[in-house]
Amino acid sequence: LYNVNIELGGDFRKYVKGSVDEAWYPKEIKKALSGERFVKEYQVDYKKYRRKVIRVTFNPIKGKKNEILGAAMFVVDFTTQRQTEEKANSLLSNLTAVLESTKDRIFAVDQKLNYLIFNKSHEERAFKSWGKKIKVGDNVLKVFPKSYYPNLE
């Protein structure tokens, strides 16, 4: 990434000098050197690795007496996961738009008859008919009278 030979014990600041990482790495390393453990995501754009998302875990390295000896960074390419999340969010938005585009009552439940999802029409019907506000996770049989769904028990 940095077009240098990285050596054990080498000065990391020299390795990142002039790179896109020079702007943010020193600040984050200082934070880890102060004893803080944290995770951050960055959008990076290297010559060999275009438009990547990386997740970096920063950890202080402690000695036997709990003194801080250094900092470790664990870098994971998170690009595929981020793209998958974006696709899933897009699909969910489209599904929600379809569910809400009809006045028909639409809902889905799990094997225990707990709501997984429902549209506004179903939510309004539950409130108008039985005065109950429903939420994901509620059980259908506790919202609607058992006579309404006699074959579900």
Side-chain angles (χ1 to χ4, degrees):
L1 293 177
Y2 307 118
N3 294 321
V4 295
N5 292 323
I6 296 176
E7 298 175 4
L8 190 59
D11 187 341
F12 185 72
R13 292 171 296 188
K14 288 181 183 177
Y15 300 141
V16 297
K17 189 156 186 72
S19 76
V20 295
D21 297 335
E22 186 177 25
W24 57 271
Y25 257 125
K27 179 180 147 195
E28 307 298 14
I29 291 171
K30 282 181 185 177
K31 216 164 135 179
L33 288 171
S34 73
E36 192 173 336
R37 182 189 184 281
F38 59 100
V39 178
K40 283 225 165 160
E41 284 186 16
Y42 302 94
Q43 179 89 32
V44 295
D45 198 13
Y46 302 112
K47 288 180 184 176
K48 291 183 182 179
Y49 304 100
R50 299 312 236 170
R51 295 189 322 244
K52 295 288 184 179
V53 177
I54 58 171
R55 180 174 280 178
V56 184
T57 302
F58 293 86
N59 286 300
I61 300 171
K62 296 183 178 182
K64 292 180 181 178
K65 296 178 182 176
N66 211 26
E67 74 278 17
I68 296 174
L69 302 174
M73 285 130 327
F74 302 95
V75 181
V76 177
D77 182 347
F78 211 68
T79 307
T80 303
Q81 289 94 324
R82 179 64 62 231
Q83 290 169 341
T84 302
E85 287 173 7
E86 288 171 3
K87 286 178 186 175
N89 288 336
S90 176
L91 287 170
L92 181 60
S93 293
N94 291 336
L95 174 60
T96 301
V98 169
L99 287 174
E100 298 303 339
S101 70
T102 180
K103 292 189 188 263
D104 295 336
R105 292 174 42 231
I106 300 173
F107 65 97
V109 295
D110 63 16
Q111 292 178 337
K112 294 179 180 178
L113 303 177
N114 297 317
Y115 284 112
L116 296 172
I117 192 170
F118 50 82
N119 67 354
K120 197 78 170 158
S121 295
H122 185 72
E123 181 179 22
E124 289 170 355
R125 175 71 182 268
F127 188 73
K128 285 179 185 174
S129 299
W130 293 278
K132 296 182 180 179
K133 288 193 172 211
I134 59 174
K135 64 184 183 306
V136 170
D138 285 349
N139 190 280
V140 169
L141 297 177
K142 291 182 180 174
V143 175
F144 292 94
K146 292 180 182 179
S147 60
Y148 203 72
Y149 296 109
N151 297 327
L152 288 181
E153 289 191 89

